Amino acid sequence: MTFSIKLLELLKQARGNWVSGESISAMMGISRSAVWKQVRKLREEGYVVEGSPKKGYTLREAPDRLLPGEIQDGLGTRVFGKGEILHFRETSSTNTIAKDLALRGAAEGLLVLAEEQSGGRGRKGREWHSPPDKGIYFSMLLRPRIAPAEAPKMSLLTAVAVAEAMISAAGVNARIKWPNDVLIGGKKVAGILAEVGAEMDEVQYLVIGIGVNVNNTGFPPELRQQATSLHLETGNPFPRLILLKEILARFEALYEEATRKGFNPCMARWRELSDMLGRNIRVEVPGLVHEGLAEGIGQDGSLLLRDGEGKVHKIVAGDVTFIGGIYGQQKPVG
Ligand code: BTN
């Protein structure tokens, strides 16, 4: 825990009362001038810390930022968000940074967050719209003991965590579209980009990047048809910090469960949250388009699609649309 996070914790525990510089310095084991430096650091991050030569310091206001001290405050996880957290006012892509740190040996549980991304990356080389302070843009580092073939299930697991967090924290009807898009009312509200570093038989690291549209009140014209945000869906802004903490807690619980019992319980939940199974879909894979019935999810997380001739295709990656309209407004085929 850094000194500024420790100081923040002390000020929060005082619940708006004054804490003398002397007692802070004793509790933190640092000099009075070092305490002052930490106060300055918190102020630079946007905290309103009032100081008085006689009374000491008191916390008046916390900024609406996804700052490490705020994330760790009352976070009910053991690993994710408990270790190193890197927070950027602006960066190109949190996934790129997390991958770089993974290669340098960073530990599982690392979080990289940004308030804005200039080069936010989506699946298939697409761009992820990441305007300042509107969404949650973060990446987590995992070091699971699994074979590379198991890795896609981790992104399905993440989609379950994000959808469940949205349902429980914001009361919205979030659904999953294979493989790992989270939708409300047929429009995309969150996306997941999982990037793996592996040897032939073992995953060395997995970076899972999550982008959630939270307080966006509009989207660029090219996204308007297919994107939505929690604000647009509920009519109100939503505290990003609350949602982020819920995602971390749900993710960790599912991850631990998968480590102990395998992926089956989580895949069952995925099926419940998906509104795609049993419907007619079109899946675009490089150079090919499949149409048919979404029949199920295979053991490895692949999509099982039954075509018009009754043949079942196992699809490991692709883009799904409903036949006859945008996702969620499909018409049956034939
Ligand atoms: C998709 O649906 O195409 C995946 C979108 C993933 C976006 C997130 S935002 C945080 C992390 N950093 C990135 O550059 N991308 C992911």
Side-chain angles (χ1 to χ4, degrees):
M1 194 184 284
T2 63
F3 281 126
S4 62
I5 290 181
K6 179 100 187 87
L7 171 61
L8 194 58
E9 211 169 65
L10 289 177
L11 293 173
K12 282 187 170 171
Q13 277 162 5
R15 296 174 186 278
N17 294 314
W18 293 90
V19 194
S20 73
E22 202 179 337
S23 59
I24 295 176
S25 129
M27 283 187 277
M28 290 180 56
I30 56 175
S31 69
R32 295 281 296 271
S33 69
V35 170
W36 167 240
K37 266 195 201 146
Q38 297 306 323
V39 168
R40 228 173 38 201
K41 215 165 147 193
L42 288 181
R43 286 181 178 156
E44 278 162 17
E45 286 180 346
Y47 290 94
V48 180
V49 182
E50 216 176 295
S52 142
K54 287 211 178 105
K55 295 188 271 188
Y57 300 100
T58 182
L59 179 65
R60 292 277 179 238
E61 222 179 287
D64 175 32
R65 301 242 182 98
L66 302 174
L67 295 165
E70 298 298 319
I71 295 168
Q72 290 181 335
D73 187 18
L75 182 68
T77 59
R78 286 188 313 109
V79 178
F80 293 90
K82 283 293 160 113
E84 196 180 356
I85 302 186
L86 290 181
H87 171 270
F88 294 87
R89 194 77 197 88
E90 194 252 323
T91 190
S92 61
S93 157
T94 57
N95 260 40
T96 305
I97 292 174
K99 273 196 329 189
D100 196 44
L101 292 168
L103 291 170
R104 292 164 194 238
E108 175 162 273
L110 164 82
L111 295 190
V112 182
L113 298 110
E115 303 290 339
E116 176 182 4
Q117 294 184 119
S118 53
R121 295 188 285 115
R123 287 174 54 234
K124 304 191 163 179
R126 293 182 191 127
E127 194 188 309
W128 185 258
H129 179 61
S130 315
D133 310 322
K134 298 285 182 206
I136 300 175
Y137 320 114
F138 76 107
S139 304
M140 307 185 281
L141 174 60
L142 279 67
R143 295 202 181 269
R145 311 193 91 176
I146 56 172
E150 299 258 275
K153 285 193 240 173
M154 282 295 184
S155 59
L156 301 191
L157 179 152
T158 309
V160 173
V162 174
E164 285 188 337
M166 288 192 148
I167 293 167
S168 82
V172 290
N173 186 19
R175 286 285 170 265
I176 303 174
K177 176 180 144 186
W178 184 85
N180 50 24
D181 290 346
V182 180
L183 314 183
I184 303 176
K187 290 186 165 189
K188 184 155 163 175
V189 68
I192 293 155
L193 178 67
E195 296 185 284
V196 67
E199 298 272 316
M200 283 294 279
D201 54 352
E202 202 183 34
V203 165
Q204 282 171 336
Y205 70 82
L206 189 58
V207 166
I208 297 193
I210 304 179
V212 189
N213 302 327
V214 184
N215 290 324
N216 314 55
T217 46
F219 287 93
E222 67 279 11
L223 295 178
R224 242 167 249 162
Q225 289 285 342
Q226 73 246 31
T228 191
S229 72
L230 269 188
H231 190 156
L232 287 172
E233 291 301 319
T234 61
N236 291 307
F238 193 85
R240 292 179 304 153
L241 199 58
I242 291 180
L243 183 61
L244 173 65
K245 287 185 184 182
E246 189 68 25
I247 293 174
L248 291 174
R250 297 220 168 226
F251 174 80
E252 187 169 292
L254 288 166
Y255 183 46
E256 279 184 2
E257 182 187 54
T259 309
R260 276 185 289 111
K261 302 186 193 162
F263 284 94
N264 283 351
C266 176
M267 288 302 119
R269 190 72 190 116
W270 190 96
R271 286 184 191 97
E272 281 167 24
L273 286 166
S274 157
D275 54 5
M276 178 187 81
L277 300 182
R279 294 184 167 180
N280 289 310
I281 56 167
R282 173 179 296 120
V283 189
E284 289 183 38
V285 297
L288 206 63
V289 176
H290 293 285
E291 285 188 4
L293 187 76
E295 197 161 79
I297 297 296
Q299 286 298 320
D300 55 356
S302 58
L303 170 65
L304 305 177
L305 179 139
R306 186 178 292 277
D307 69 19
E309 283 147 26
K311 187 171 170 215
V312 176
H313 300 260
K314 189 174 152 183
I315 297 165
V316 290
D319 272 337
V320 176
T321 44
F322 270 128
I323 291 172
I326 64 162
Y327 192 88
Q329 299 180 353
Q330 79 294 353
K331 284 193 246 138
V333 189

